[in-house]
Amino acid sequence: MSKHEFLSEEWIAAAQAIREDYAGTSTTSPPPMKMNVVITEVPFDESTMDAHIDTTDGEMTLDMGHLDSADLTVTVDYATAKAIFIDQDQQASMQAFMAGKIKVQGDMTKMMAMQTVQPDPAQVEMATKIAEMTA
């Protein structure tokens, strides 16, 4: 499996293909939420990237661009985003939040509710495949 730099165009395409392979296989549903994400200090192309997470259809969709009707917006630096989304390092997430590296505007309770859901085996397998293809 070829490896791609986190959030590069190649990584986004490969991650979307993996998510499509697992569409409809999850046995748990995340709480409904629309979250815009601003990723700062991106080491290539641009200094920031806009993305969003949408769970309102019962599955978590991560895609580029912002939603018009988001419940909240999270601003995070590239290294912290990688630690959270790829390494799934909850301690790094908490430390970054406490240090002010993660800024939240909007309904923070929606984000907190996401952390209470335990991933099912299909979600764990999908996350592992995405991590394995990330340089």
PDB file of all heavy atoms in Angstrom, residues 76 79-97 102 115 127 131:
ATOM      1  N   VAL A  76      -7.599  23.990  14.452  1.00  0.00           N
ATOM      2  CA  VAL A  76      -6.530  23.159  15.013  1.00  0.00           C
ATOM      3  C   VAL A  76      -5.339  23.169  14.059  1.00  0.00           C
ATOM      4  O   VAL A  76      -5.514  23.285  12.851  1.00  0.00           O
ATOM      5  CB  VAL A  76      -7.049  21.711  15.253  1.00  0.00           C
ATOM      6  CG1 VAL A  76      -7.506  21.069  13.954  1.00  0.00           C
ATOM      7  CG2 VAL A  76      -6.040  20.846  15.963  1.00  0.00           C
ATOM      8  N   ALA A  79      -0.280  19.399  12.932  1.00  0.00           N
ATOM      9  CA  ALA A  79       0.305  18.323  13.738  1.00  0.00           C
ATOM     10  C   ALA A  79      -0.707  17.771  14.742  1.00  0.00           C
ATOM     11  O   ALA A  79      -0.789  16.553  14.940  1.00  0.00           O
ATOM     12  CB  ALA A  79       1.560  18.815  14.456  1.00  0.00           C
ATOM     13  N   THR A  80      -1.474  18.646  15.361  1.00  0.00           N
ATOM     14  CA  THR A  80      -2.483  18.203  16.325  1.00  0.00           C
ATOM     15  C   THR A  80      -3.606  17.450  15.616  1.00  0.00           C
ATOM     16  O   THR A  80      -4.075  16.421  16.101  1.00  0.00           O
ATOM     17  CB  THR A  80      -3.036  19.394  17.122  1.00  0.00           C
ATOM     18  OG1 THR A  80      -1.942  20.052  17.779  1.00  0.00           O
ATOM     19  CG2 THR A  80      -4.050  18.951  18.151  1.00  0.00           C
ATOM     20  N   ALA A  81      -4.025  17.944  14.441  1.00  0.00           N
ATOM     21  CA  ALA A  81      -5.068  17.257  13.674  1.00  0.00           C
ATOM     22  C   ALA A  81      -4.627  15.847  13.318  1.00  0.00           C
ATOM     23  O   ALA A  81      -5.395  14.892  13.436  1.00  0.00           O
ATOM     24  CB  ALA A  81      -5.401  18.046  12.407  1.00  0.00           C
ATOM     25  N   LYS A  82      -3.383  15.691  12.919  1.00  0.00           N
ATOM     26  CA  LYS A  82      -2.870  14.360  12.584  1.00  0.00           C
ATOM     27  C   LYS A  82      -2.841  13.463  13.819  1.00  0.00           C
ATOM     28  O   LYS A  82      -3.216  12.292  13.747  1.00  0.00           O
ATOM     29  CB  LYS A  82      -1.477  14.471  11.955  1.00  0.00           C
ATOM     30  CG  LYS A  82      -0.949  13.146  11.432  1.00  0.00           C
ATOM     31  CD  LYS A  82       0.367  13.317  10.704  1.00  0.00           C
ATOM     32  CE  LYS A  82       0.865  11.976  10.188  1.00  0.00           C
ATOM     33  NZ  LYS A  82       2.189  12.097   9.570  1.00  0.00           N
ATOM     34  N   ALA A  83      -2.426  14.003  14.949  1.00  0.00           N
ATOM     35  CA  ALA A  83      -2.398  13.213  16.187  1.00  0.00           C
ATOM     36  C   ALA A  83      -3.801  12.755  16.580  1.00  0.00           C
ATOM     37  O   ALA A  83      -3.991  11.630  17.040  1.00  0.00           O
ATOM     38  CB  ALA A  83      -1.769  14.017  17.319  1.00  0.00           C
ATOM     39  N   ILE A  84      -4.791  13.612  16.362  1.00  0.00           N
ATOM     40  CA  ILE A  84      -6.164  13.281  16.736  1.00  0.00           C
ATOM     41  C   ILE A  84      -6.791  12.309  15.741  1.00  0.00           C
ATOM     42  O   ILE A  84      -7.308  11.257  16.114  1.00  0.00           O
ATOM     43  CB  ILE A  84      -7.023  14.558  16.848  1.00  0.00           C
ATOM     44  CG1 ILE A  84      -6.543  15.419  18.014  1.00  0.00           C
ATOM     45  CG2 ILE A  84      -8.498  14.197  17.027  1.00  0.00           C
ATOM     46  CD1 ILE A  84      -7.127  16.826  18.031  1.00  0.00           C
ATOM     47  N   PHE A  85      -6.762  12.658  14.452  1.00  0.00           N
ATOM     48  CA  PHE A  85      -7.483  11.883  13.438  1.00  0.00           C
ATOM     49  C   PHE A  85      -6.755  10.619  13.000  1.00  0.00           C
ATOM     50  O   PHE A  85      -7.396   9.618  12.688  1.00  0.00           O
ATOM     51  CB  PHE A  85      -7.793  12.749  12.220  1.00  0.00           C
ATOM     52  CG  PHE A  85      -8.764  13.844  12.509  1.00  0.00           C
ATOM     53  CD1 PHE A  85      -8.382  15.177  12.411  1.00  0.00           C
ATOM     54  CD2 PHE A  85     -10.071  13.576  12.900  1.00  0.00           C
ATOM     55  CE1 PHE A  85      -9.271  16.200  12.683  1.00  0.00           C
ATOM     56  CE2 PHE A  85     -10.967  14.596  13.180  1.00  0.00           C
ATOM     57  CZ  PHE A  85     -10.570  15.900  13.070  1.00  0.00           C
ATOM     58  N   ILE A  86      -5.427  10.632  12.953  1.00  0.00           N
ATOM     59  CA  ILE A  86      -4.683   9.469  12.462  1.00  0.00           C
ATOM     60  C   ILE A  86      -4.172   8.620  13.621  1.00  0.00           C
ATOM     61  O   ILE A  86      -4.395   7.418  13.670  1.00  0.00           O
ATOM     62  CB  ILE A  86      -3.511   9.897  11.542  1.00  0.00           C
ATOM     63  CG1 ILE A  86      -4.049  10.680  10.348  1.00  0.00           C
ATOM     64  CG2 ILE A  86      -2.696   8.679  11.100  1.00  0.00           C
ATOM     65  CD1 ILE A  86      -5.082   9.965   9.507  1.00  0.00           C
ATOM     66  N   ASP A  87      -3.492   9.240  14.572  1.00  0.00           N
ATOM     67  CA  ASP A  87      -2.948   8.492  15.711  1.00  0.00           C
ATOM     68  C   ASP A  87      -4.021   8.184  16.748  1.00  0.00           C
ATOM     69  O   ASP A  87      -3.812   7.348  17.613  1.00  0.00           O
ATOM     70  CB  ASP A  87      -1.806   9.276  16.362  1.00  0.00           C
ATOM     71  CG  ASP A  87      -0.691   9.596  15.384  1.00  0.00           C
ATOM     72  OD1 ASP A  87      -0.515   8.855  14.395  1.00  0.00           O
ATOM     73  OD2 ASP A  87       0.007  10.612  15.595  1.00  0.00           O
ATOM     74  N   GLN A  88      -5.150   8.879  16.655  1.00  0.00           N
ATOM     75  CA  GLN A  88      -6.258   8.744  17.604  1.00  0.00           C
ATOM     76  C   GLN A  88      -5.760   8.881  19.047  1.00  0.00           C
ATOM     77  O   GLN A  88      -6.156   8.150  19.942  1.00  0.00           O
ATOM     78  CB  GLN A  88      -7.006   7.435  17.377  1.00  0.00           C
ATOM     79  CG  GLN A  88      -7.640   7.393  16.010  1.00  0.00           C
ATOM     80  CD  GLN A  88      -8.484   6.174  15.765  1.00  0.00           C
ATOM     81  OE1 GLN A  88      -8.842   5.446  16.675  1.00  0.00           O
ATOM     82  NE2 GLN A  88      -8.824   5.960  14.521  1.00  0.00           N
ATOM     83  N   ASP A  89      -4.906   9.874  19.237  1.00  0.00           N
ATOM     84  CA  ASP A  89      -4.283  10.153  20.527  1.00  0.00           C
ATOM     85  C   ASP A  89      -5.160  11.121  21.317  1.00  0.00           C
ATOM     86  O   ASP A  89      -5.074  12.337  21.136  1.00  0.00           O
ATOM     87  CB  ASP A  89      -2.886  10.730  20.295  1.00  0.00           C
ATOM     88  CG  ASP A  89      -2.091  10.924  21.568  1.00  0.00           C
ATOM     89  OD1 ASP A  89      -2.688  10.942  22.673  1.00  0.00           O
ATOM     90  OD2 ASP A  89      -0.860  11.073  21.451  1.00  0.00           O
ATOM     91  N   GLN A  90      -6.010  10.578  22.176  1.00  0.00           N
ATOM     92  CA  GLN A  90      -6.916  11.404  22.957  1.00  0.00           C
ATOM     93  C   GLN A  90      -6.170  12.286  23.957  1.00  0.00           C
ATOM     94  O   GLN A  90      -6.613  13.378  24.275  1.00  0.00           O
ATOM     95  CB  GLN A  90      -7.945  10.526  23.684  1.00  0.00           C
ATOM     96  CG  GLN A  90      -8.878   9.799  22.736  1.00  0.00           C
ATOM     97  CD  GLN A  90      -9.631  10.749  21.836  1.00  0.00           C
ATOM     98  OE1 GLN A  90     -10.123  11.778  22.251  1.00  0.00           O
ATOM     99  NE2 GLN A  90      -9.706  10.414  20.553  1.00  0.00           N
ATOM    100  N   GLN A  91      -5.032  11.805  24.456  1.00  0.00           N
ATOM    101  CA  GLN A  91      -4.245  12.613  25.386  1.00  0.00           C
ATOM    102  C   GLN A  91      -3.690  13.851  24.668  1.00  0.00           C
ATOM    103  O   GLN A  91      -3.719  14.948  25.210  1.00  0.00           O
ATOM    104  CB  GLN A  91      -3.107  11.795  25.989  1.00  0.00           C
ATOM    105  CG  GLN A  91      -2.332  12.554  27.047  1.00  0.00           C
ATOM    106  CD  GLN A  91      -1.308  11.695  27.750  1.00  0.00           C
ATOM    107  OE1 GLN A  91      -1.182  10.511  27.480  1.00  0.00           O
ATOM    108  NE2 GLN A  91      -0.568  12.298  28.654  1.00  0.00           N
ATOM    109  N   ALA A  92      -3.214  13.680  23.438  1.00  0.00           N
ATOM    110  CA  ALA A  92      -2.716  14.828  22.668  1.00  0.00           C
ATOM    111  C   ALA A  92      -3.844  15.815  22.424  1.00  0.00           C
ATOM    112  O   ALA A  92      -3.637  17.030  22.483  1.00  0.00           O
ATOM    113  CB  ALA A  92      -2.118  14.362  21.341  1.00  0.00           C
ATOM    114  N   SER A  93      -5.029  15.294  22.185  1.00  0.00           N
ATOM    115  CA  SER A  93      -6.202  16.140  21.980  1.00  0.00           C
ATOM    116  C   SER A  93      -6.488  16.985  23.211  1.00  0.00           C
ATOM    117  O   SER A  93      -6.684  18.197  23.121  1.00  0.00           O
ATOM    118  CB  SER A  93      -7.411  15.248  21.640  1.00  0.00           C
ATOM    119  OG  SER A  93      -8.586  15.999  21.618  1.00  0.00           O
ATOM    120  N   MET A  94      -6.521  16.358  24.358  1.00  0.00           N
ATOM    121  CA  MET A  94      -6.813  17.075  25.607  1.00  0.00           C
ATOM    122  C   MET A  94      -5.718  18.087  25.929  1.00  0.00           C
ATOM    123  O   MET A  94      -6.004  19.222  26.321  1.00  0.00           O
ATOM    124  CB  MET A  94      -6.973  16.086  26.758  1.00  0.00           C
ATOM    125  CG  MET A  94      -7.424  16.748  28.046  1.00  0.00           C
ATOM    126  SD  MET A  94      -9.007  17.601  27.914  1.00  0.00           S
ATOM    127  CE  MET A  94     -10.109  16.226  27.765  1.00  0.00           C
ATOM    128  N   GLN A  95      -4.452  17.687  25.751  1.00  0.00           N
ATOM    129  CA  GLN A  95      -3.340  18.603  26.022  1.00  0.00           C
ATOM    130  C   GLN A  95      -3.390  19.817  25.091  1.00  0.00           C
ATOM    131  O   GLN A  95      -3.170  20.942  25.521  1.00  0.00           O
ATOM    132  CB  GLN A  95      -2.002  17.881  25.876  1.00  0.00           C
ATOM    133  CG  GLN A  95      -1.741  16.895  26.991  1.00  0.00           C
ATOM    134  CD  GLN A  95      -0.488  16.059  26.744  1.00  0.00           C
ATOM    135  OE1 GLN A  95       0.020  15.979  25.629  1.00  0.00           O
ATOM    136  NE2 GLN A  95      -0.010  15.416  27.804  1.00  0.00           N
ATOM    137  N   ALA A  96      -3.698  19.571  23.816  1.00  0.00           N
ATOM    138  CA  ALA A  96      -3.777  20.669  22.852  1.00  0.00           C
ATOM    139  C   ALA A  96      -4.928  21.610  23.193  1.00  0.00           C
ATOM    140  O   ALA A  96      -4.789  22.831  23.101  1.00  0.00           O
ATOM    141  CB  ALA A  96      -3.946  20.116  21.434  1.00  0.00           C
ATOM    142  N   PHE A  97      -6.042  21.051  23.620  1.00  0.00           N
ATOM    143  CA  PHE A  97      -7.185  21.879  24.000  1.00  0.00           C
ATOM    144  C   PHE A  97      -6.837  22.744  25.210  1.00  0.00           C
ATOM    145  O   PHE A  97      -7.108  23.943  25.221  1.00  0.00           O
ATOM    146  CB  PHE A  97      -8.406  20.997  24.297  1.00  0.00           C
ATOM    147  CG  PHE A  97      -9.638  21.788  24.590  1.00  0.00           C
ATOM    148  CD1 PHE A  97     -10.372  22.380  23.565  1.00  0.00           C
ATOM    149  CD2 PHE A  97     -10.073  21.971  25.899  1.00  0.00           C
ATOM    150  CE1 PHE A  97     -11.502  23.119  23.832  1.00  0.00           C
ATOM    151  CE2 PHE A  97     -11.208  22.711  26.177  1.00  0.00           C
ATOM    152  CZ  PHE A  97     -11.920  23.289  25.143  1.00  0.00           C
ATOM    153  N   ILE A 102      -6.433  24.139  20.282  1.00  0.00           N
ATOM    154  CA  ILE A 102      -7.709  23.802  19.649  1.00  0.00           C
ATOM    155  C   ILE A 102      -8.705  24.861  20.089  1.00  0.00           C
ATOM    156  O   ILE A 102      -8.948  25.043  21.274  1.00  0.00           O
ATOM    157  CB  ILE A 102      -8.207  22.399  20.072  1.00  0.00           C
ATOM    158  CG1 ILE A 102      -7.204  21.324  19.644  1.00  0.00           C
ATOM    159  CG2 ILE A 102      -9.580  22.126  19.480  1.00  0.00           C
ATOM    160  CD1 ILE A 102      -7.558  19.929  20.132  1.00  0.00           C
ATOM    161  N   GLN A 115     -17.205  12.108  21.598  1.00  0.00           N
ATOM    162  CA  GLN A 115     -16.169  11.379  22.316  1.00  0.00           C
ATOM    163  C   GLN A 115     -16.729  10.271  23.201  1.00  0.00           C
ATOM    164  O   GLN A 115     -15.975   9.460  23.719  1.00  0.00           O
ATOM    165  CB  GLN A 115     -15.313  12.352  23.119  1.00  0.00           C
ATOM    166  CG  GLN A 115     -14.588  13.312  22.209  1.00  0.00           C
ATOM    167  CD  GLN A 115     -13.641  14.223  22.943  1.00  0.00           C
ATOM    168  OE1 GLN A 115     -13.429  14.114  24.134  1.00  0.00           O
ATOM    169  NE2 GLN A 115     -13.043  15.132  22.211  1.00  0.00           N
ATOM    170  N   ALA A 127     -10.274   2.894  10.251  1.00  0.00           N
ATOM    171  CA  ALA A 127      -9.316   3.862  10.790  1.00  0.00           C
ATOM    172  C   ALA A 127      -7.889   3.302  10.696  1.00  0.00           C
ATOM    173  O   ALA A 127      -6.938   4.044  10.402  1.00  0.00           O
ATOM    174  CB  ALA A 127      -9.659   4.196  12.231  1.00  0.00           C
ATOM    175  N   ALA A 131      -4.806   4.973   8.686  1.00  0.00           N
ATOM    176  CA  ALA A 131      -3.537   5.245   9.368  1.00  0.00           C
ATOM    177  C   ALA A 131      -2.369   4.578   8.642  1.00  0.00           C
ATOM    178  O   ALA A 131      -1.291   5.170   8.511  1.00  0.00           O
ATOM    179  CB  ALA A 131      -3.611   4.789  10.817  1.00  0.00           C
TER     180      ALA A 131
END
